[in-house]
Amino acid sequence: MAVPELGKDLEPYCGVMNAYLCEGCPPEWHARGGMPLEVNSAEGVPIDTADFTGKILFIHRPQPAQEDWPYKQHFEGKARQWELRLQGRFKTEPGDSLWFGAELPDPVELGWAARGAVTLILNLASKLSALRGVQFDYNLDWTDLGGGDEHRPHFTYPLLGADAVIQTPAGKTPPILSEPLAKMSMAEKQLVNLNTKDTYTFGFWTRYMDFVRWRITDMPFGANRSFESYIGKNPVHLTVYRLDSLSEVEAAAADCAASTPTETQECASPTTPAPAKHMRAESAKHIFMRIEVVHAQIQEDSTASDVPAGSPEEDEAEFEDAQDHPELPT
């Protein structure tokens, strides 16, 4: 099968989803908010930051299904909606606090029903991750920390909690990024030692987020709705970062969280995020990779779906999503 040409034949696959490489793209793109990132490209796209150099590949299942998309065979028999593959070398010491996750760059107002549904789902996801030995962290609130710093809504987990983490010694050939990556056990991933000499290949995938249809999928409790039902017209950022230190505000909040109830009442303030475990101030992050994903119709300031949230048609779509892949591996 012929491989589609970059920038030419791929629009039918994911033309309704736009992705932008916000960190690691050439300098001329920074002023525009990022470089358009080819989805389902035949090879990795170069990425270069102050801390990481390599390439990235973003693969997404098309909707509706396409017979000739380049990764069809790899996705057959799997429930996953997309894969994000990152390969390269750390230019600075990576440390032991590397994270991957999704963030919202702007404030979002959640009604009590939406907040309850999201909290329930994220609590479930956290418990499932714990069973796999992965710490899962989330926060639903956007907080202005002052001085241009902010604390974003997010859900993240340690980078070694990725589905695949491959360490290739210096001088050896790493895996071809466009070839399938096998899911690895936690025991295998714990053998990986991060340094600045070797090449690393990370693979992340999920069945629960569909950026083409712009909706949550395969979730229990009737949560398979449009992203707009939860986050409005916000884009989503997929980010890999190192958490270096707490900001002054966060450090004060951490002290508050560890103090007695009386002391906590005295030191709490409206700008103090809590609890301490959810702290992810922008000033404390060393960003290795950040991708902004936005639905094309959202970008054009129109609705992401012709089906309004909460309508009978969406409830029917919910049911169909819940039946999509009941027994398939991720």
Side-chain angles (χ1 to χ4, degrees):
M1 179 178 65
V3 176
E5 291 183 36
L6 295 180
K8 179 180 179 182
D9 299 326
L10 292 170
E11 184 175 352
Y13 301 116
C14 288
V16 297
M17 181 188 76
N18 293 333
Y20 301 90
L21 185 60
C22 302
E23 300 285 345
C25 59
E28 60 268 22
W29 284 102
H30 279 289
R32 309 183 216 178
M35 177 181 73
L37 178 65
E38 192 80 64
V39 180
N40 292 337
S41 61
E43 57 187 10
V45 176
I47 179 173
D48 189 26
T49 72
D51 302 282
F52 186 84
T53 184
K55 49 190 176 181
I56 187 169
L57 182 62
F58 193 15
I59 306 170
H60 203 296
R61 184 188 299 273
Q63 296 289 349
Q66 302 285 334
E67 289 299 321
D68 59 346
W69 75 293
Y71 298 98
K72 178 178 182 293
Q73 185 175 1
H74 170 56
F75 271 59
E76 281 183 341
K78 300 180 178 69
R80 67 194 63 169
Q81 299 291 346
W82 54 264
E83 286 189 32
L84 181 63
R85 303 176 185 176
L86 180 66
Q87 183 180 84
R89 181 180 56 81
F90 293 99
K91 296 162 68 174
T92 60
E93 287 297 333
D96 57 2
S97 186
L98 289 174
W99 296 79
F100 169 77
E103 302 176 332
L104 299 181
D106 300 306
V108 58
E109 296 293 334
L110 286 174
W112 68 268
R115 177 176 286 270
V118 173
T119 300
L120 182 65
I121 292 169
L122 291 178
N123 279 335
L124 175 62
S126 181
K127 289 180 172 60
L128 292 174
S129 294
L131 291 175
R132 297 170 49 219
V134 179
Q135 177 188 356
F136 181 94
D137 183 85
Y138 69 88
N139 171 64
L140 299 181
D141 299 309
W142 189 95
T143 305
D144 185 352
L145 300 177
D149 201 6
E150 62 193 31
H151 179 243
R152 298 179 173 186
H154 65 264
F155 61 90
T156 62
Y157 54 84
L159 195 60
L160 290 182
D163 296 283
V165 183
I166 301 170
Q167 181 176 5
T168 304
K172 302 294 184 179
T173 303
I176 298 175
L177 203 56
S178 58
E179 294 294 323
L181 298 177
K183 189 174 182 66
M184 297 171 60
S185 68
M186 180 56 67
E188 291 175 306
K189 291 181 287 187
Q190 287 176 334
L191 297 175
V192 172
N193 175 38
L194 300 179
N195 59 53
T196 58
K197 297 179 180 179
D198 299 334
T199 298
Y200 297 90
T201 305
F202 300 95
F204 313 88
W205 51 81
T206 184
R207 65 193 293 173
Y208 301 115
M209 302 171 69
D210 185 335
F211 289 123
V212 172
R213 290 188 292 172
W214 203 248
R215 54 188 293 116
I216 297 172
T217 57
D218 281 357
M219 277 288 187
F221 311 119
N224 296 327
R225 293 185 180 275
S226 165
F227 286 162
E228 268 200 277
S229 301
Y230 298 107
I231 66 173
K233 297 185 180 297
N234 264 295
V236 175
H237 283 183
L238 301 178
T239 309
V240 175
Y241 62 89
R242 182 177 69 226
L243 193 62
D244 282 344
S245 61
L246 299 180
S247 67
E248 291 183 7
V249 172
E250 290 178 315
D255 290 340
C256 270
S259 62
T260 65
T262 301
E263 291 171 336
T264 300
Q265 291 174 4
E266 292 176 353
C267 68
S269 71
T271 58
T272 298
K277 70 175 183 176
H278 298 318
M279 294 173 183
R280 296 287 187 275
E282 286 300 290
S283 64
K285 297 176 185 174
H286 251 68
I287 305 296
F288 295 114
M289 180 278 300
R290 175 172 280 158
I291 297 174
E292 179 171 283
V293 184
V294 59
H295 198 281
Q297 290 175 303
I298 293 289
Q299 196 172 39
E300 294 168 3
D301 199 33
S302 61
T303 59
S305 172
D306 293 329
V307 180
S311 68
E313 290 86 352
E314 176 155 286
D315 290 338
E316 181 179 347
E318 265 183 34
F319 177 79
E320 291 173 353
D321 277 343
Q323 309 303 314
D324 273 351
H325 316 291
E327 299 178 357
L328 290 181
T330 57

